[in-house]
Amino acid sequence: MTFTLSSTLASSEEDASHKSGAAEQDELPTVPDRVSLGGMPIYIVDKRLGKGGFGQVCLGRRLQQRKTTPINKPNKVAIKFESTASKGCNNGGPPYEWQVYNKIAGCYGIPKIYAKGTQGGFHIMIMELLGPSVWDVWTTEGQSLPVPYVACVAAEALRALQDLHGRGYVHGDIKPENLLLGAPDTPDATRLYMVDLGLAQRYTSSSTARHLPYHQNPNEFRGTIRYASVHAHLGRIASRRDDLESLAYTLVFLLSGCLPWQGFQGDDKGYQVCKKKMDTSAETLCGSAWPPAFSRFLESVLALKYDEEPMYDAYMALFRPLTGNSASRPLTIFPSPEKTPRKVVGRKRAREDSAEDTAAELGLTPPDSQRKKARTGWAGTQWITVYVKRRPMKQRYHFNVNADRLSTHVEKGYKEGLFITAVASCKGLWAVIMDASAKQKGQSYKLTNGVFMPREWITEKWDEGYYITAVAGSDNFSSLVVMSKGTKWTQQSYKVDSTFPYEWIKKKWRENFHVTSIGTAGSPATKQQWAVVMSRDTEFRHQVVEIDFQYPSEGIHYHWDKGYRITACGATQHQAAVVMSLAKRSNAGDIVQETLRTGDFPATYVKEKWERDLYIDLIAYGRTAIMSFYPYLYYNDAKAAKDWLINVCGFEHNITMEDPDGTIGHAEVKHGFGVVMFATAKPAEGKKSPKDLGGAETASVYVNVKELDSLHDRAKAAGGNITKAPYDTDYGSRDFSMKDPEGRLWFFGTYVPRHECPDKKE
Ligand SMILES: Nc1ncnc2c1ncn2[C@@H]1O[C@H](COP(=O)(O)OP(=O)(O)OP(=O)(O)O)[C@@H](O)[C@H]1O
């Protein structure tokens, strides 16, 4: 069983490659040479079939072989030994896995358990003998399996998961090593089974059968890094969607032989892998080499909510057409449910279309315009502003403030009786919110140059009775720390760390501290740092942390509904963290709160919010989103560009040509965020254009966003050269550009998070 915290997990997935090795035989405790459990015949222990983190599985042969045996006392069995001293057993008690097997007996695709007992210092489970794992088959077949095989694995694993989930459990460790075939030379040799329930967990309450409440424990990880869902990496309580995400990664691994996040090493391997998963869209991962069913499945699974019931039947229906006909099918698959024949009007559908259509019919693929993209593969940074409804009051905001100008604004505010309530930094400039909400008796602030959190100054101010009430850091580690007098807090402590210091927060929670501010500094080019400030005797009763590689919308809504409100937030360029608190006051849950994410500082929106008595309470700038991306191609001969794409890069779909009329157009990205402006290089009279392109004779080729990654890869494979775009466009962040082998074709993409994303709890 794999059951370790993230820091110790690095080796667990690598274990997969050296299961059942004779060379390792000696490292394991010697198991008895025969097993005799009450009610069962005696079994001679034969060769080892496999081993895991805590146990080993051996072949058992019945001492007295019979021509015919009762179904539950076969001649050959698998015997799983786990030392009673093993960490997987609770104080020598039976392994946790046994409980799960008891609860789910008879589940589709789970091996039969004949007996369990203890003998000679081992917990012993006698189970149905199975054959090689899908990992073994993948290895023998040259580290990639054909589509029909993988589609069968998909369909069968889905059926087994449907049954397991139906019984209130999630598996928690779906991977090729835990998917086994039936015993060779038996009628079940081509059936698929799921083993290793050591990480299985209930996701429903055993008494009410209702879904367990949502919760995130950042830093807590169970599973195997390579196949774990992003939610598992982020420490969210396991739910059905996690098994399906792991299954999707398993399928891609079986098809393609590798996953893009393999090869990370070091202490932060789990973090790096998770980040890479978040930055990889379903289209990129599944590529265009495989039938679209795989990316449809992944895309749909990634969009599942915490407690949403997956559409197992629809998923199975996606894969079934790819499994081949029943005579040639490499694995036995569960018969498809009775289906009303679909009326096909017009043309005869190609196989790939039929998977698409099935998915659409089953509601898996809503039209692009409605589809909420879980991961589009491009990180984006935005302003996050959190608003709270208050009695009418004066509030002022300043943004894009240069260090030299800061004091002018602040002093002016102080003269008007306002205090700084929130600060943030974006691209080396500062944002400051001042208002009359704080019941403060005095305030002091310090702007440092290149030093994140000026310890000496903070200590001095603490001694004078001030507490940190707001903090922000910039890309070069300069910081703006605001300390105030008049809070009811009695003690304060802060921690600066390159990873979000959740363990420290948990320790401080136990000492009656609560998070009161968060600041971040650094950029991807340097190390990033979090500063978390915690204070004692706050107005909070309980806090939770939501952290993600995008704005953690689901967790925020869940906790809003439970009466929590956002009381601190911060974001680096990789992650956003939100702290939500339950106040001691019983009516605190009535507080109206809204959030907004915007590409630019939300100046115009703030005014509109003020009209509704909503005032900025918190502000941060950092990564909030996986952006939609609208690429465009620019070439001085559009036809040649198209030819190059189609004939050399093998790029077929969704290319539309536009006349080189020199006008500026704009396109709305249908899913996700963003209105992206684009322009041809020859500007029309009086219109804006990208800076360095004016005057060239050009045409543009617009490429559907979905094709970007495959285009990118194919062009690279065809000898294209990918470079950084040489200029910033007027319309947003530059990203990258690409030339064909002759240096002719320019391809560049840009994303602009111009679209506002409001979120509210009233
Ligand atoms: N019923 C079975 N028949 C044949 N081989 C089996 C059977 N059950 C398990 N094995 C083999 O033993 C290996 C380890 O089994 P299992 O995963 O249940 O053990 P574990 O100690 O819980 O492993 P891990 O630490 O990887 O979670 C499997 O990968 C498989 O190769």
Side-chain angles (χ1 to χ4, degrees):
M1 278 164 268
T2 321
F3 183 11
T4 27
L5 290 178
S6 52
S7 53
T8 50
L9 257 168
S11 62
S12 67
E13 63 185 359
E14 272 27 284
D15 285 346
S17 57
H18 49 75
K19 292 230 167 188
S20 65
E24 286 147 29
Q25 203 106 350
D26 300 337
E27 294 160 23
L28 296 170
T30 312
V31 295
D33 49 15
R34 59 177 62 192
V35 161
S36 162
L37 296 184
M40 288 297 284
I42 295 171
Y43 284 96
I44 308 288
V45 179
D46 204 318
K47 65 175 180 181
R48 184 185 301 148
L49 299 168
K51 74 172 189 86
F54 300 120
Q56 44 186 315
V57 179
C58 298
L59 171 67
R61 288 178 196 281
R62 208 174 143 152
L63 180 63
Q64 288 159 333
Q65 299 269 315
R66 294 274 149 75
K67 273 221 167 87
T68 53
T69 55
I71 196 150
N72 55 354
K73 290 177 181 145
N75 283 328
K76 284 193 209 166
V77 291
I79 309 178
K80 185 164 178 175
F81 295 93
E82 200 162 323
S83 161
T84 50
S86 136
K87 283 191 223 147
C89 304
N90 297 327
N91 298 323
Y96 166 75
E97 190 180 21
W98 287 15
Q99 275 178 42
V100 182
Y101 274 114
N102 286 344
K103 290 278 193 294
I104 61 155
C107 181
Y108 186 86
I110 299 287
K112 287 187 207 68
I113 305 300
Y114 304 123
K116 303 187 208 78
T118 305
Q119 183 192 315
F122 285 94
H123 292 299
I124 297 171
M125 182 162 75
I126 304 182
M127 60 198 299
E128 182 178 356
L129 178 67
L130 303 176
S133 70
V134 171
W135 168 274
D136 297 328
V137 180
W138 174 85
T139 312
T140 340
E141 297 298 314
Q143 306 202 332
S144 110
L145 290 171
V147 168
Y149 197 104
V150 181
C152 287
V153 171
E156 277 301 273
L158 280 163
R159 178 67 191 97
L161 285 173
Q162 182 177 31
D163 200 354
L164 181 70
H165 293 171
R167 291 160 194 252
Y169 279 88
V170 288
H171 183 280
D173 201 14
I174 294 292
K175 56 181 176 180
E177 300 88 314
N178 285 342
L179 299 174
L180 267 55
L181 301 184
D185 307 322
T186 68
D188 291 331
T190 56
R191 285 197 54 201
L192 190 80
Y193 294 82
M194 257 170 6
V195 296
D196 192 2
L197 292 163
L199 288 185
Q201 286 181 77
R202 281 209 74 98
Y203 70 93
T204 57
S205 147
S206 51
S207 49
T208 65
R210 304 236 316 253
H211 206 291
L212 293 179
Y214 168 90
H215 188 61
Q216 183 181 12
N217 274 318
N219 299 3
E220 277 182 30
F221 176 77
R222 287 156 64 96
T224 302
I225 291 181
R226 189 182 295 168
Y227 306 99
S229 72
V230 161
H231 300 295
H233 278 281
L234 291 168
R236 298 209 171 99
I237 295 201
S239 71
R240 292 168 285 193
R241 63 182 178 184
D242 300 303
D243 279 345
L244 299 187
E245 188 174 332
S246 297
L247 176 62
Y249 297 150
T250 298
L251 301 177
V252 175
F253 178 84
L254 296 174
L255 281 173
S256 64
C258 65
L259 289 164
W261 40 86
Q262 282 175 245
F264 286 108
Q265 292 299 338
D267 290 347
D268 65 346
K269 173 175 169 169
Y271 172 86
Q272 294 297 347
V273 168
C274 181
K275 184 167 169 301
K276 183 74 187 170
K277 284 176 185 168
M278 281 304 280
D279 288 346
T280 308
S281 66
E283 290 93 2
T284 311
L285 188 64
C286 301
S288 45
W290 318 117
F294 293 93
S295 63
R296 291 284 165 277
F297 173 56
L298 178 57
E299 200 170 83
S300 170
V301 160
L302 295 183
L304 286 172
K305 297 200 181 72
Y306 168 69
D307 55 1
E308 188 174 344
E309 182 175 2
M311 300 167 79
Y312 306 94
D313 289 332
Y315 295 146
M316 286 184 256
L318 260 184
F319 291 112
R320 251 190 221 104
L322 305 175
T323 58
N325 61 39
S326 51
S328 66
R329 211 167 268 154
L331 296 179
T332 311
I333 64 165
F334 187 76
S336 61
E338 282 298 309
K339 235 170 50 171
T340 334
R342 278 178 284 136
K343 227 165 107 187
V344 181
V345 185
R347 71 202 166 97
K348 194 168 175 267
R349 282 184 294 196
R351 166 147 296 165
E352 293 195 2
D353 286 346
S354 96
E356 286 268 8
D357 293 350
T358 311
E361 272 173 32
L362 294 162
L364 284 185
T365 50
D368 273 0
S369 54
Q370 288 165 28
R371 192 184 303 160
K372 186 173 165 287
K373 280 252 159 180
R375 290 172 211 169
T376 53
W378 302 95
T381 45
Q382 285 177 306
W383 289 93
I384 306 174
T385 35
V386 180
Y387 302 81
V388 165
K389 193 156 200 153
R390 294 181 189 280
R391 283 207 203 96
M393 66 160 183
K394 195 165 187 178
Q395 184 170 69
R396 233 184 240 294
Y397 60 78
H398 307 278
F399 62 97
N400 286 352
V401 180
N402 194 297
D404 304 338
R405 297 277 306 151
L406 190 79
S407 62
T408 316
H409 294 303
V410 175
E411 295 308 325
K412 188 170 170 243
Y414 282 163
K415 275 195 196 119
E416 291 173 27
L418 309 181
F419 285 109
I420 304 173
T421 49
V423 290
S425 170
C426 169
K427 301 192 174 104
L429 299 170
W430 301 95
V432 178
I433 310 300
M434 296 190 78
D435 64 40
S437 68
K439 299 174 199 77
Q440 288 167 352
K441 299 201 177 78
Q443 194 168 70
S444 193
Y445 68 94
K446 186 157 185 84
L447 186 62
T448 61
N449 188 3
V451 181
F452 191 42
M453 303 297 280
R455 175 159 277 282
E456 261 178 41
W457 179 80
I458 293 171
T459 319
E460 226 170 76
K461 288 287 159 195
W462 273 340
D463 290 345
E464 293 169 22
Y466 288 84
Y467 289 105
I468 302 170
T469 47
V471 54
S474 74
D475 292 2
N476 72 349
F477 295 100
S478 297
S479 56
L480 176 56
V481 182
V482 181
M483 294 186 72
S484 311
K485 248 183 184 171
T487 62
K488 296 222 170 89
W489 307 335
T490 55
Q491 218 181 328
Q492 195 166 63
S493 189
Y494 72 85
K495 185 164 179 76
V496 176
D497 208 329
S498 58
T499 54
F500 189 79
Y502 187 65
E503 289 306 315
W504 176 79
I505 293 175
K506 278 202 302 195
K507 182 175 140 277
K508 287 293 190 190
W509 276 340
R510 289 193 290 272
E511 296 166 15
N512 196 27
F513 283 77
H514 288 100
V515 176
T516 45
S517 317
I518 300 179
T520 61
S523 68
T526 59
K527 261 261 184 246
Q528 309 215 32
Q529 296 213 293
W530 293 91
V532 176
V533 184
M534 294 185 75
S535 312
R536 201 172 217 163
D537 294 312
T538 62
E539 63 274 37
F540 308 131
R541 166 155 68 93
H542 190 256
Q543 280 190 327
V544 292
V545 170
E546 279 297 320
I547 186 160
D548 208 320
F549 291 83
Q550 59 190 343
Y551 174 79
S553 176
E554 185 177 38
I556 290 176
H557 277 271
Y558 184 86
H559 289 294
W560 266 344
D561 289 347
K562 302 259 172 235
Y564 288 77
R565 292 294 178 266
I566 303 171
T567 53
C569 72
T572 64
Q573 290 190 30
H574 292 316
Q575 283 187 309
V578 162
V579 174
M580 299 185 75
S581 309
L582 260 190
K584 285 177 185 155
R585 272 185 307 120
S586 57
N587 62 348
D590 301 337
I591 293 172
V592 175
Q593 193 165 64
E594 292 188 11
T595 70
L596 191 60
R597 283 160 284 145
T598 50
D600 296 326
F601 187 90
T604 48
Y605 293 90
V606 174
K607 286 172 192 142
E608 177 259 322
K609 300 260 182 207
W610 283 347
E611 276 164 26
R612 294 191 289 127
D613 291 335
L614 286 159
Y615 296 92
I616 299 179
D617 193 36
L618 300 164
I619 187 155
Y621 183 85
R623 170 153 171 175
T624 54
I626 316 299
M627 290 296 165
S628 281
F629 186 88
Y630 205 93
Y632 81 99
L633 293 169
Y634 155 64
Y635 190 49
N636 60 4
D637 178 346
K639 190 177 171 308
K642 194 172 177 179
D643 286 350
W644 188 74
L645 288 168
I646 294 170
N647 300 328
V648 183
C649 301
F651 187 78
E652 293 154 32
H653 313 289
N654 300 311
I655 295 178
T656 53
M657 307 292 291
E658 300 226 348
D659 283 331
D661 61 4
T663 56
I664 291 177
H666 75 274
E668 211 163 316
V669 176
K670 288 284 197 293
H671 30 245
F673 308 175
V675 175
V676 176
M677 306 291 289
F678 53 83
T680 56
K682 187 178 161 199
E685 199 66 23
K687 302 253 176 133
K688 267 178 138 188
S689 73
K691 281 174 193 154
D692 298 338
L693 291 178
E697 282 296 322
T698 61
S700 300
V701 180
Y702 298 90
V703 178
N704 185 295
V705 67
K706 281 194 220 160
E707 303 293 335
L708 170 67
D709 297 306
S710 69
L711 165 68
H712 191 283
D713 292 345
R714 288 172 190 196
K716 207 170 170 185
N721 177 20
I722 294 164
T723 57
K724 278 274 171 205
Y727 53 83
D728 279 311
T729 67
D730 282 351
Y731 306 107
S733 338
R734 84 196 137 111
D735 198 69
F736 61 80
S737 68
M738 191 169 76
K739 283 177 190 174
D740 71 4
E742 283 82 52
R744 293 176 308 176
L745 177 72
W746 281 96
F747 166 78
F748 52 88
T750 185
Y751 59 82
V752 189
R754 291 208 188 285
H755 187 70
E756 283 69 35
C757 312
D759 215 3
K760 63 176 145 187
K761 174 70 193 166
E762 285 185 74

